[in-house]
Amino acid sequence: MQLTVVFFEKANELIVFQETRDLPPYYALELIYRKARMAHLQNINNKAISLYEQVIQQSGTVSETYYAPNSFLQIGYLYKENNRIEEAMDYFSRVLNFKNHPYKKSLDNKARLALASLEL
């Protein structure tokens, strides 16, 4: 347990350092995505959703990354955990709308599996 706390503290220090720099759009988007993932892993779900939404909103500035589709997927998982089934289904469905990005098959398969589990 202690090792996990140290990991998140060090990761947060790196993020704070990077936020002070003038980053190109791709790296700025990645930084928000990494913050969202950290919040998600720490079960700070409202913060994670907010950060994932920021990634989605800003993803238009950077093409063909997996950050936006994976953000939709992760929000879907968070909504599923909280029994917000219709919202979860909407977010999982949106993953499938992306045409070209790294990990497309993997993310699409995860979204389809999640949708199938909700439709039972």
Side-chain angles (χ1 to χ4, degrees):
M1 185 67 162
Q2 186 65 19
L3 185 59
T4 303
V5 172
V6 171
F7 168 79
F8 285 120
E9 287 174 356
K10 292 295 183 189
N12 193 51
E13 287 174 18
L14 289 170
I15 286 174
V16 169
F17 171 74
Q18 291 297 328
E19 288 177 326
T20 65
R21 303 174 71 196
D22 186 27
L23 299 172
Y26 177 88
Y27 295 110
L29 183 67
E30 181 180 13
L31 187 62
I32 298 167
Y33 173 79
R34 298 294 172 204
K35 287 169 53 175
R37 294 295 292 144
M38 279 188 38
H40 192 162
L41 291 170
Q42 294 176 82
N43 294 315
I44 309 171
N45 295 342
N46 288 336
K47 182 177 180 180
I49 290 171
S50 175
L51 289 165
Y52 285 133
E53 290 287 357
Q54 284 181 42
V55 170
I56 291 164
Q57 291 169 1
Q58 294 182 25
S59 66
T61 61
V62 180
S63 63
E64 298 183 14
T65 72
Y66 73 98
Y67 300 130
N70 198 41
S71 292
F72 277 112
L73 183 69
Q74 297 305 320
I75 292 172
Y77 288 146
L78 289 168
Y79 283 154
K80 181 181 175 184
E81 286 176 19
N82 290 304
N83 291 319
R84 295 170 64 176
I85 303 306
E86 287 183 27
E87 291 164 297
M89 291 177 74
D90 179 49
Y91 276 85
F92 292 138
S93 294
R94 290 180 184 203
V95 174
L96 304 174
N97 293 334
F98 284 85
K99 301 296 180 210
N100 191 18
H101 62 83
Y103 312 113
K104 176 151 181 62
K105 283 185 181 182
S106 174
L107 293 180
D108 284 2
N109 287 337
K110 289 176 183 179
R112 283 188 193 102
L113 184 61
L115 281 166
S117 74
L118 293 174
E119 294 172 350
L120 295 177

